[in-house]
Amino acid sequence: MNDTKNSGTTIDGGKPAAYWNPYAAGVLLGATLLASYLILGAGLGASAGPARIGAFLEYCVLPQHVAKSEYFGAWVGSAQGLLSYYLVFMFAGTFVGGLVSAVLARRIDPGVERGKTFGTAPRLTLALLGGVLVGFASRLANGCTSGQALSGGAMLLNGSLVFMVCVFVGGYAAAWFFRRQWHD
């Protein structure tokens, strides 16, 4: 198990496959977004899929609670259901597709990426807290950065473009404070 940075080799010692050309990947992502608009009449996003899966799991334990929810209650007991939503399938397909791609490219290298002076437990704790915060914020904002950047940006929505500029500025500002964890 690799507890520091990726060494560039795989578990079995072989070299991973080369990365895709980013321009070709961008064109394919744009074609996927266009197909989503043409076929489904809606864009892409990532936060609604896990939210629906979470609501389904909660429904398995506390069905009355989910049925009373303003947001998810409309789908409980309906023909559509909690999991019958295109973003649930997109989320599952993205996860499975990424896993298959990593296996085929020999890029599976389990470990915790961290600086030498930063422990594994604090790194995992911060990662979990960051994930919960981002998930909460994406549901609070009624969308995620994928929906804002891809779908909103493709439609040239001013709010989406300003949002993405703020995301990059915020990311660079945060990196300035936390880079000592990685370059020690």
Side-chain angles (χ1 to χ4, degrees):
M1 187 176 220
N2 182 8
D3 275 340
T4 57
K5 295 189 135 202
N6 189 340
S7 61
T9 60
T10 58
I11 292 173
D12 61 4
K15 287 287 184 186
Y19 286 111
W20 276 33
N21 180 315
Y23 299 108
V27 168
L28 289 173
L29 182 57
T32 302
L33 179 62
L34 178 62
S36 178
Y37 275 117
L38 293 175
I39 295 168
L40 301 170
L44 301 174
S47 61
R52 292 271 187 126
I53 292 169
F56 173 76
L57 294 173
E58 183 179 0
Y59 181 77
C60 292
V61 178
L62 298 166
Q64 293 81 15
H65 183 262
V66 177
K68 291 178 185 176
S69 167
E70 285 185 42
Y71 186 75
F72 294 113
W75 293 290
V76 174
S78 69
Q80 185 181 15
L82 288 168
L83 296 180
S84 297
Y85 188 58
Y86 79 103
L87 290 176
V88 172
F89 295 101
M90 188 194 87
F91 173 73
T94 301
F95 179 80
V96 171
L99 180 62
V100 168
S101 173
V103 168
L104 292 177
R106 301 171 55 129
R107 293 196 179 279
I108 301 285
D109 189 14
V112 177
E113 292 191 18
R114 59 181 178 81
K116 292 176 186 172
T117 61
F118 201 72
T120 301
R123 173 70 176 115
L124 292 175
T125 301
L126 287 177
L128 177 64
L129 291 174
V132 168
L133 180 63
V134 167
F136 175 76
S138 70
R139 295 315 306 154
L140 183 65
N142 217 11
C144 60
T145 55
S146 301
Q148 286 285 354
L150 293 173
S151 302
M155 295 173 51
L156 299 177
L157 298 175
N158 292 337
S160 294
L161 299 175
V162 169
F163 173 78
M164 287 313 300
V165 168
C166 291
V167 164
F168 279 98
V169 169
Y172 279 108
W176 185 83
F177 287 107
F178 293 105
R179 67 181 176 199
R180 69 182 182 283
Q181 297 176 17
W182 302 98
H183 298 290
D184 50 1

